[in-house]
C-alpha cells in the first residue's frame, strides 16, 4: 500500500521556490567571485563592476554599516533558530552593535546598562493607563539621557563623556522600548535574559566585523553579502534545532513558552 504524502501541494511548491532562491543566493556571488580570478578573461570586467576596493575612505563607514546589518542578521538567526534563545527582537542586537561600533563596547555597554536601570526605576512611577503614554515617556527620557554625559563632559572638559552622545539615539530608544515591553509582559527575569542575549549577539557582531581582513574581504567581494542572505535560508532549512529553547537561568524551573500552531513553518 502506497502512503499518500500529507504535505499540502502549496507548501511543497513554497519549499521548492525557497530552495531555488537558496541556490541562487549562493551560486550568483560565487560565480562572480570566481570570474574575478586573474587567470580568467572576465577578471578585469567583473573586478571593475563588482568591487569596492577603491571606494573613497569617507564611504567606508557607510559600507561598514551595510555589512554590519547583513552579518548581524545571520548572527541573530543563529541565536534564534539554532540556539533557540530570544534577543528582545530581531533588530535590537544589530542596533546595539552599531552603537558599540561607534563608541566601543565597554563605554557603550556601561551607558546602556545605566539607562536601563533608570528606565526600570522610573517605570514604577508611571501609572498611566495607556501603553503609548508610558512608552512615550520612557523613550523621551532615554533620549534625554544622551544629553547628560554631553553636559557633564562639557562642564569638566572630558572628551570621552561628550562622545557618549554619539550613541545612536534610535538604537537606545528602541532597545529601551523592547526591554520595557518584555518587562511588562513577562517580568524582570525574562527581560534581563533577553537583554543579556542581545548584548552578547551585538558584541559578537562587532567582533566579527573587526576581525582582520573581514571588512576588506567584503570590499573586494561585495557580492558575498548575497551569500549572507543565503546563509539565513540555510540555517532555517538545516540548522533550526533550537538547542536551548525556553532556557532562562534567571528563573526557577524550566520556562515553558506558549506557541501558536505553526503556519507554513515553525513558530517564532
Amino acid at each position: 500500500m502506497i502512503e499518500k504524502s500529507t504535505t499540502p501541494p502549496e507548501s511543497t511548491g513554497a519549499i521548492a521556490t525557497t530552495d531555488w532562491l537558496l541556490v541562487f543566493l549562493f551560486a550568483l556571488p560565487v560565480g562572480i567571485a570566481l570570474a574575478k580570478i586573474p587567470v580568467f578573461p572576465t577578471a578585469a570586467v567583473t573586478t571593475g563592476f563588482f568591487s569596492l576596493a577603491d571606494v573613497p575612505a569617507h564611504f567606508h563607514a557607510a559600507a561598514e554599516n551595510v555589512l554590519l546589518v547583513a552579518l548581524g542578521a545571520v548572527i541573530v538567526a543563529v541565536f534564534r533558530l539554532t540556539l533557540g534563545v530570544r534577543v528582545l527582537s530581531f533588530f535590537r542586537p544589530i542596533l546595539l552593535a552599531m552603537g558599540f561600533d561607534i563608541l566601543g563596547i565597554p563605554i557603550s555597554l556601561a551607558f546602556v546598562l545605566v539607562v536601563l536601570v533608570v528606565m526600570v526605576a522610573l517605570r514604577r512611577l508611571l501609572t498611566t493607563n495607556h501603553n503609548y503614554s508610558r512608552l512615550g515617556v520612557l523613550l523621551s527620557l532615554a533620549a534625554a539621557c544622551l544629553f547628560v554625559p554631553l553636559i557633564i563632559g562639557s562642564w569638566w572638559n572630558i572628551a570621552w563623556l561628550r562622545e557618549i552622545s554619539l550613541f545612536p539615539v534610535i538604537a537606545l530608544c528602541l532597545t529601551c522600548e523592547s526591554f520595557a515591553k518584555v518587562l511588562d509582559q513577562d517580568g524582570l527575569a525574562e527581560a534581563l535574559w533577553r537583554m543579556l542575549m542581545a548584548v552578547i549577539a551585538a558584541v559578537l557582531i562587532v567582533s566579527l566585523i573587526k576581525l582582520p581582513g573581514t571588512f576588506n574581504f567584503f570590499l573586494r567581494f561585495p557580492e558575498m553579502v548575497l551569500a549572507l542572505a543565503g546563509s539565513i535560508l540555510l540555517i532555517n532549512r538545516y540548522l533550526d534545532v533550537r538547542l536551548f529553547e525556553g532556557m532562562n537561568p534567571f528563573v526557577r524551573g524550566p520556562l515553558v513558552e506558549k506557541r501558536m500552531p505553526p503556519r507554513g513553518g515553525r513558530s517564532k
Side-chain angles (χ1 to χ4, degrees):
M1 183 177 180
I2 299 175
E3 294 184 359
K4 294 183 178 180
S5 174
T6 58
T7 305
E10 58 271 18
S11 298
T12 304
I15 292 173
T17 301
T18 303
D19 286 345
W20 278 111
L21 179 60
L22 175 61
V23 171
F24 174 78
L25 289 175
F26 278 106
L28 179 61
V30 169
I32 294 174
L34 291 176
K36 293 179 182 179
I37 297 177
V39 297
F40 295 122
T42 56
V45 176
T46 52
T47 301
F49 278 100
F50 301 103
S51 177
L52 296 174
D54 297 328
V55 73
H58 60 273
F59 285 109
H60 283 189
E64 187 171 302
N65 281 337
V66 172
L67 179 58
L68 190 147
V69 171
L71 186 58
V74 177
I75 299 301
V76 175
V78 170
F79 268 66
R80 186 67 192 104
L81 298 178
T82 303
L83 300 182
V85 296
R86 290 182 176 271
V87 288
L88 289 181
S89 77
F90 193 94
F91 293 104
R92 302 310 180 258
I94 299 173
L95 292 173
L96 283 173
M98 289 181 175
F100 291 176
D101 187 42
I102 292 173
L103 291 183
I105 294 174
I107 295 177
S108 298
L109 184 56
F111 175 66
V112 170
L113 291 179
V114 168
V115 173
L116 287 178
V117 169
V118 172
M119 295 299 102
V120 172
L122 292 177
R123 172 180 168 272
R124 299 181 181 277
L125 303 177
L126 292 173
T127 57
T128 57
N129 294 326
H130 203 287
N131 187 47
Y132 271 35
S133 299
R134 184 165 58 254
L135 282 176
V137 172
L138 289 177
L139 292 179
S140 297
L141 292 174
C145 286
L146 287 168
F147 275 160
V148 175
L150 183 60
I151 293 172
I152 297 176
S154 298
W155 285 347
W156 296 337
N157 195 27
I158 302 177
W160 67 268
L161 270 177
R162 292 196 299 265
E163 289 176 356
I164 292 177
S165 63
L166 298 175
F167 194 93
V169 63
I170 192 65
L172 181 64
C173 289
L174 290 179
T175 299
C176 290
E177 179 260 350
S178 291
F179 186 84
K181 276 189 176 180
V182 178
L183 195 62
D184 284 334
Q185 296 171 4
D186 302 306
L188 181 59
E190 182 66 11
L192 289 175
W193 175 245
R194 293 194 196 182
M195 184 66 203
L196 176 61
M197 292 299 100
V199 167
I200 292 175
V203 170
L204 183 57
I205 293 168
V206 175
S207 299
L208 289 176
I209 293 291
K210 296 301 182 183
L211 280 177
T214 299
F215 183 63
N216 289 333
F217 172 81
F218 280 96
L219 285 182
R220 186 179 178 188
F221 301 100
E223 64 274 5
M224 284 301 170
V225 173
L226 294 178
L228 293 178
S231 299
I232 298 175
L233 288 179
L234 197 67
I235 292 167
N236 178 73
R237 186 68 185 273
Y238 299 106
L239 297 175
D240 187 3
V241 293
R242 311 199 185 192
L243 295 173
F244 306 107
E245 184 77 77
M247 187 188 77
N248 186 341
F250 297 150
V251 298
R252 295 180 180 179
L255 179 66
V256 179
E257 184 179 323
K258 294 181 181 179
R259 290 192 175 192
M260 298 295 291
R263 190 177 173 185
R266 296 192 62 173
S267 60
K268 294 180 181 180

